[in-house]
Structure formats: C-alpha cells, structure tokens
C-alpha cells in the first residue's frame, strides 16, 4: 500500500472536495480517500500494484484542479502500521 499526500489548488467549496473524493474513491485499487477543503489537501491510500500515482493525479487534473505533491508521501506495509499502533 502507498499513502500519497497531495496539495490541491482550485477548490472553491466543500462540494469540490466531495467531487474529488467520490471520483478518487471509484478508482480500482484505491482503499481510502480523505479530502480536506480547508487545508486544500488530499490523503489517498492505494495499492500501487493496481493504480499508479500518475493516474490519480490525472483524475484530479481532469476535474480542473492543480495538484502539488507533498514531501511526506510514503510507502507502508499495513502490518507494520498495525504493529505501531
């Protein structure tokens, strides 16, 4: 699994965030999506064997928003994450 954190420019309302969340959530391989309108950020957890980050970015761009990669995106193993909790 991979956790990608992106900055999204161009959202003007909560409806924009909901539209992004719904569209990304429908992509095969995407496990979870959280779009925060106030901070203009999206966190997306996905299986990088099924979907590429470039595909995710293209979906957001095709909706009319600008994507900026965050530096703290990471690969992680779900088992390791559970052990840390």
């Amino acid at each position: 699994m991979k956790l990608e954190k992106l900055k999204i420019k161009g959202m003007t309302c909560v409806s924009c965030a909901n539209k992004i969340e719904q569209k990304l959530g429908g992509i095969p391989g995407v496990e979870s999506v959280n779009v925060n309108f106030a901070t203009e950020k999206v966190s997306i957890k996905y299986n990088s064997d099924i979907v590429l980050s470039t595909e995710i970015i293209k979906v957001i761009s095709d909706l009319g928003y600008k994507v900026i990669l965050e530096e703290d995106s990471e690969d992680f193993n779900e088992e390791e994450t559970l052990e840390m909790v």
Side-chain angles (χ1 to χ4, degrees):
M1 284 295 174
K2 183 165 180 131
L3 177 64
E4 194 83 48
K5 295 180 181 180
L6 308 169
K7 180 111 175 136
I8 308 292
K9 291 291 189 183
M11 291 189 292
T12 57
C13 62
V14 175
S15 181
C16 295
N18 290 336
K19 180 168 55 170
I20 294 169
E21 205 166 87
Q22 288 176 343
K23 198 73 163 173
L24 292 178
I27 299 173
V30 171
E31 185 174 308
S32 66
V33 181
N34 182 303
V35 180
N36 187 315
F37 168 68
T39 62
E40 298 183 311
K41 292 184 179 182
V42 60
S43 295
I44 181 165
K45 188 164 125 179
Y46 64 97
N47 184 331
S48 56
D49 292 332
I50 298 173
V51 63
L52 301 174
S53 62
T54 53
E55 294 173 86
I56 292 167
I57 292 168
K58 182 174 179 348
V59 167
I60 297 169
S61 296
D62 287 350
L63 290 171
Y65 305 101
K66 183 176 179 180
V67 179
I68 301 166
L69 292 174
E70 294 281 299
E71 290 183 24
D72 57 350
S73 296
E74 59 191 56
D75 287 313
F76 68 95
N77 181 323
E78 199 164 337
E79 290 175 9
E80 290 173 5
T81 303
L82 293 174
E83 289 174 9
M84 294 188 312
V85 174

